[in-house]
Amino acid sequence: MNSEITIKLPRCKGCGICVAFCPKQVLAVDELGKVMVVNADACIACGQCELRCPDYAIFVDKKVKA
Amino acid sequence: MERSFEKYFRQNRLPHLWCPGCGNGIVMKAIVQAIEKKGLDQDKTVIVSGIGCSSRASGYMDFDTLHTAHGRAIPFATGIKLANPELNVIVITGDGDCTAIGGNHFIHGCRRNVDLTVVLFNNSIYGMTGGQASPMTPTHKKATTAPYGAIDRNFDACRLAEAAGATYVARSTAFHVQHLTDMIAGGIDNKGFSFVEAICQCPTSFGRKNKMADPAKMMMWMRDNAVMKAAWDKLPDDKKTEEKFPIGLFYNESETDYATAYNEVIQIAGGADK
Amino acid sequence: MSKARLMQGNEACVEGALAAGVRFFGGYPITPSTEVAEGMAKLLPTVGGKFVQMEDEIASMGVVLGASLAGKKAVTASSGPGISLKQELIGYAAAAEIPVVIVNVQRVGPSTGQPTAPSQGDVMQARWGTHGDHPMIALSPWSVREAFDTAVMAVNYSERFRTPVILLMDEIVGHLREKVELPEASAIEIYPRRKPTCSRAEGYEPFTPDKDLVPNTANFGEGYHIHVTGLIHDDTGFPIGSPKITREVTKRLHEKIDIARDEITHVEEYFMDDAEYAVVAFGGTARTAYEAVANARKKGIKVGMVRLITIWPFADKAIKKIAEKVKGILVAELNYGQLVGEVERVVAGKCPVELCAKYDMTIFEPAEIEAGIDELVAGGKA
């Protein structure tokens, strides 16, 4: 895993913008209408989800190597 | 890691009331990031908005904020700026708020060149009231008050602003987030009336009526149809199809702003040391 | 040094506003109020203030509210058609509790009416012109000097109660020229802008009422990060869809004026000590009424005059007191009959109330009001 994905769930409205713009299909909207990480290992920390989220609900940081 | 832009939001007011996928949140973030980029003093920055979906933004932003009446943000903002020129005044408005009920204030704000930065959230519709056509609803697009498609010709607010005397005119979209932030930051830099049109998606009221209910698809539409100004200028007319539109900085001219001009009046009248 | 000057009512209004600390004016040209704007344009920059001519009446109202929020005492002025347009933001000022003074130099209406003949037809508009429930303060001067004094008073009340105040002039007083001596600055009491009583860290809320039910709202730019809206809001300033808050806020907006009602309801009485009849009048009409009453006295009629300086809140107490002692009341007003309804409400049948109305572009002749007094006396005896 190259990245750390932080989700502020109360802010998420499940619009699916992050899912649509994720180039690696890391994200999905769960049955409760909130974003969930389905393939964390595939994340390349490109930040598209964070950049486009209208609700400031998802944040991606590159993992600092130990 | 907590993002630095969070300090510009009233955390206890979030999440905001906008619909899932609404572009307003993206534009609001671009504004605070432009404010951060320009290093504006949070205590000396005032956000003024009108009425409508976009204008609810002021309530979420941690500054002195003023949610005025429908269309009236620019006159209020003018009063604030002239009364205390050390304040940075940013106006948030929508396409209906700014170009319909506030149209007269908009053109005269441009003409006076008061040092304001006006960000118009253009979602092509009256969202708060449920999807009626605005003066910026593109012709032929549908709205609850244009069920057969709008026959009204729509405003190009940027051309309107430039013609009316704004000294900084730019357009961007909710897709082009960093570009949008830069356009707003440039407006803050300009000492005079700066106008930035931010095209943003309203999936609920505009999208659904116009076969584009998916907000991501609306943003992809922006990506695919926006043309940077430099490229637009070189584009042959037959390639400027109905859906295509230019983005970027359209106009920037240095002119004396209203408060500076009025200071000269005070000098002449002998009130400078009063 | 004698400072006697020949001055117009509109000019005195400008002088009064400046003396009270007004440093901002936004307006739009309209007769018969234009001299207020012109005077402000000339004098404000001499004291470091600012004048701006806006694109319309709505913008004029908006710009002064913005200036007031940023800490400047602010005034706008207009007449009938313009005041109609300003109503939207007069309501905003009431709801958001923004100090501001609106000068209305009344002319004949409705609509464009008779430009720019005198009228007092905006009495009810001053009270009820905008939508929704809120109180209003309106003052009406009868002389050039009083135009100055009521302008000072209007600015002070707007600051003290954080509310819009209407200076309800009429064309008669607005364009009247008299020799006046204005008071020295040191003799003028000024109500300063209210200030927050605690810091943000101490939990400051911009709309928490003080003991007098008026909030100590901060100016923009003072670091309080306040939110101001025309939506019904709680003490924090943020909108809230609560029946309880809606009820409480509406009540407080009224009560903050109501509890000071006796103090701000200014009424003057003339020849009332032994009066058996009373003429109620205000503004320019009271000048004529005064002469009519004096003439009637010469004829042996025991009539006096009650002059309302404060039109709103209405002088219930004073009128009730008069109704207890006189045999009849004549209301003289330059309209089809507006204030008379208020007088009737308060008198509540204790004595006859007659209307002496005029609505034909011209001002009252003393004889017309005298005739009204004669009719009242005749009716009263019957």
Side-chain angles (χ1 to χ4, degrees):
Chain A
M1 226 164 49
N2 302 314
S3 64
E4 229 176 84
I5 302 171
T6 311
I7 294 170
K8 292 189 176 175
L9 224 46
R11 288 186 181 178
C12 178
K13 294 171 187 160
C15 67
I17 288 175
C18 56
V19 178
F21 281 98
C22 176
K24 298 290 178 186
Q25 289 79 48
V26 173
L27 306 167
V29 174
D30 70 18
E31 51 199 20
L32 296 173
K34 299 277 186 181
V35 65
M36 61 191 279
V37 178
V38 290
N39 190 4
D41 288 344
C43 178
I44 54 169
C46 68
Q48 283 288 312
C49 54
E50 177 175 342
L51 184 70
R52 310 208 176 285
C53 176
D55 296 286
Y56 331 128
I58 187 163
F59 305 88
V60 190
D61 290 293
K62 278 208 173 89
K63 222 173 213 177
V64 185
K65 283 191 181 116
Chain B
M1 191 187 69
E2 189 78 354
R3 298 297 185 254
S4 58
F5 69 77
E6 296 279 7
K7 70 171 179 285
Y8 296 104
F9 290 129
R10 290 170 168 138
Q11 294 297 328
N12 63 341
R13 310 301 308 178
L14 292 175
H16 50 61
L17 56 59
W18 296 313
C19 299
C22 171
N24 287 354
I26 299 171
V27 184
M28 181 164 81
K29 189 170 102 178
I31 293 173
V32 298
Q33 290 192 307
I35 287 171
E36 185 175 34
K37 196 170 170 183
K38 289 292 133 194
L40 301 189
D41 182 344
Q42 211 165 337
D43 290 345
K44 297 290 175 194
T45 301
V46 184
I47 311 291
V48 185
S49 64
I51 292 290
C53 286
S54 60
S55 290
R56 284 304 185 99
S58 57
Y60 303 113
M61 301 169 78
D62 196 6
F63 303 87
D64 283 321
T65 53
L66 175 61
H67 180 223
T68 70
H70 199 18
R72 317 303 175 211
I74 291 171
F76 276 79
T78 299
I80 293 165
K81 184 68 189 179
L82 297 183
N84 186 356
E86 73 162 357
L87 298 177
N88 310 295
V89 185
I90 293 171
V91 174
I92 291 174
T93 178
D95 42 303
D97 192 58
C98 185
T99 68
I101 194 163
N104 201 28
H105 310 313
F106 175 43
I107 57 172
H108 287 275
C110 294
R111 175 179 66 81
R112 271 185 210 102
N113 199 33
V114 184
D115 186 14
L116 308 174
T117 301
V118 177
V119 183
L120 186 157
F121 292 41
N122 176 15
N123 63 1
S124 308
I125 205 87
Y126 285 90
M128 192 66 89
T129 46
Q132 297 76 29
S134 91
M136 292 182 77
T137 301
T139 312
H140 309 312
K141 293 290 182 191
K142 287 182 178 166
T144 59
T145 49
Y148 307 103
I151 54 168
D152 293 42
R153 298 164 69 213
N154 53 305
F155 266 138
D156 180 329
C158 288
R159 291 174 63 195
L160 183 60
E162 183 182 337
T167 48
Y168 179 98
V169 180
R171 179 189 288 136
S172 192
T173 83
F175 174 81
H176 302 83
V177 193
Q178 279 133 342
H179 179 258
L180 173 60
T181 305
D182 289 342
M183 291 298 104
I184 297 167
I188 292 170
D189 272 340
N190 176 56
K191 195 169 161 65
F193 193 98
S194 304
F195 177 73
V196 180
E197 177 187 346
I199 292 175
C200 58
Q201 71 276 13
C202 170
T204 305
S205 289
F206 185 75
R208 279 197 306 205
K209 280 258 177 295
N210 291 286
K211 296 181 182 140
M212 222 193 272
D214 178 357
K217 291 218 171 85
M218 295 182 88
M219 291 172 74
M220 287 168 191
W221 175 89
M222 293 172 204
R223 177 192 65 196
D224 298 340
N225 288 289
V227 180
M228 288 294 171
K229 181 172 185 299
W232 178 266
D233 289 344
K234 288 181 203 138
L235 207 65
D237 280 347
D238 62 315
K239 291 271 166 55
K240 292 177 179 170
T241 54
E242 206 172 328
E243 299 274 287
K244 298 268 181 207
F245 60 92
I247 61 170
L249 174 60
F250 299 147
Y251 183 78
N252 191 10
E253 193 70 45
S254 179
E255 297 270 1
T256 308
D257 72 288
Y258 197 88
T260 303
Y262 202 90
N263 280 341
E264 287 171 32
V265 172
I266 293 175
Q267 287 283 348
I268 296 165
D273 53 352
K274 301 285 167 65
Chain C
M1 167 175 90
S2 168
K3 285 193 182 150
R5 291 159 66 184
L6 184 67
M7 192 181 277
Q8 199 187 46
N10 282 343
E11 291 172 295
C13 163
V14 172
E15 297 279 355
L18 294 183
V22 166
R23 289 297 176 270
F24 196 92
F25 182 95
Y28 187 85
I30 182 167
T31 316
S33 78
T34 305
E35 294 87 1
V36 179
E38 289 170 344
M40 289 287 187
K42 192 172 173 191
L43 296 182
L44 268 172
T46 68
V47 294
K50 284 185 182 138
F51 164 91
V52 58
Q53 182 172 324
M54 297 301 284
E55 57 273 16
D56 61 33
E57 297 282 2
I58 301 168
S60 302
M61 198 60 219
V63 81
V64 291
L65 293 183
S68 182
L69 286 163
K72 292 278 190 283
K73 292 184 181 178
V75 170
T76 185
S78 190
S79 186
I83 299 292
S84 293
L85 285 167
K86 288 183 193 294
Q87 293 300 333
E88 173 194 47
L89 296 184
I90 293 174
Y92 189 95
E97 300 184 75
I98 305 170
V100 70
V101 172
I102 305 103
V103 180
N104 177 4
V105 188
Q106 296 167 86
R107 66 187 231 189
V108 174
S111 189
T112 315
Q114 284 289 9
T116 53
S119 163
Q120 295 178 315
D122 304 348
V123 171
M124 286 297 162
Q125 185 205 40
R127 177 64 189 88
W128 301 109
T130 177
H131 58 281
D133 282 317
H134 65 86
M136 185 53 77
I137 298 176
L139 308 170
S140 190
W142 79 330
S143 68
V144 173
R145 170 60 202 257
E146 203 173 75
F148 179 95
D149 294 335
T150 49
V152 173
M153 214 186 282
V155 174
N156 282 342
Y157 288 163
S158 78
E159 294 290 334
R160 176 175 158 190
F161 298 103
R162 291 196 63 96
T163 192
V165 175
I166 292 181
L167 186 56
L168 194 63
M169 312 243 296
D170 50 49
E171 194 275 344
I172 305 166
V173 174
H175 283 165
L176 177 72
R177 282 178 198 278
E178 287 183 308
K179 198 171 91 172
V180 289
E181 198 163 331
L182 300 179
E184 295 288 341
S186 58
I188 297 166
E189 259 187 70
I190 294 177
Y191 198 95
R193 177 60 55 97
R194 302 177 76 108
K195 285 198 174 354
T197 50
C198 68
S199 71
R200 240 182 125 196
E202 289 163 331
Y204 173 71
E205 290 181 338
F207 292 94
T208 300
D210 207 328
K211 286 192 200 84
D212 61 356
L213 305 183
V214 183
N216 298 305
T217 312
N219 295 324
F220 286 162
E222 292 177 345
Y224 286 91
H225 296 201
I226 67 169
H227 183 61
V228 177
T229 177
L231 290 161
I232 300 275
H233 47 274
D234 62 17
D235 292 349
T236 65
F238 288 93
I240 181 162
S242 146
K244 178 174 175 283
I245 297 294
T246 305
R247 185 174 60 243
E248 284 174 4
V249 166
T250 306
K251 201 157 170 264
R252 181 177 64 74
L253 286 180
H254 286 85
E255 285 182 345
K256 72 176 178 181
I257 310 284
D258 276 348
I259 58 171
R261 195 165 173 157
D262 288 348
E263 220 185 310
I264 64 174
T265 309
H266 303 281
V267 172
E268 280 192 357
E269 297 184 0
Y270 311 83
F271 312 111
M272 281 304 294
D273 288 346
D274 62 343
E276 294 175 349
Y277 298 91
V279 176
V280 173
F282 66 97
T285 295
R287 303 171 72 91
T288 318
Y290 182 90
E291 197 176 327
V293 167
N295 290 344
R297 280 264 165 190
K298 281 179 205 155
K299 290 191 285 189
I301 302 170
K302 285 190 174 173
V303 58
M305 182 171 93
V306 178
R307 181 170 72 89
L308 306 184
I309 300 168
T310 303
I311 307 297
W312 303 111
F314 189 71
D316 284 34
K317 242 184 206 175
I319 298 297
K320 203 172 274 174
K321 204 183 84 197
I322 301 296
E324 303 286 352
K325 66 181 255 193
V326 299
K327 295 183 195 164
I329 294 175
L330 181 74
V331 180
E333 50 184 331
L334 215 54
N335 57 46
Y336 195 74
Q338 297 193 15
L339 200 74
V340 66
E342 284 298 294
V343 175
E344 280 170 345
R345 174 182 64 77
V346 173
V347 170
K350 287 199 183 72
C351 71
V353 175
E354 297 297 336
L355 169 66
C356 184
K358 199 173 188 196
Y359 37 87
D360 67 356
M361 300 176 70
T362 63
I363 66 172
F364 277 109
E365 293 292 334
E368 292 170 313
I369 297 177
E370 280 175 64
I373 295 171
D374 289 342
E375 272 174 45
L376 179 74
V377 171
K381 275 175 186 163

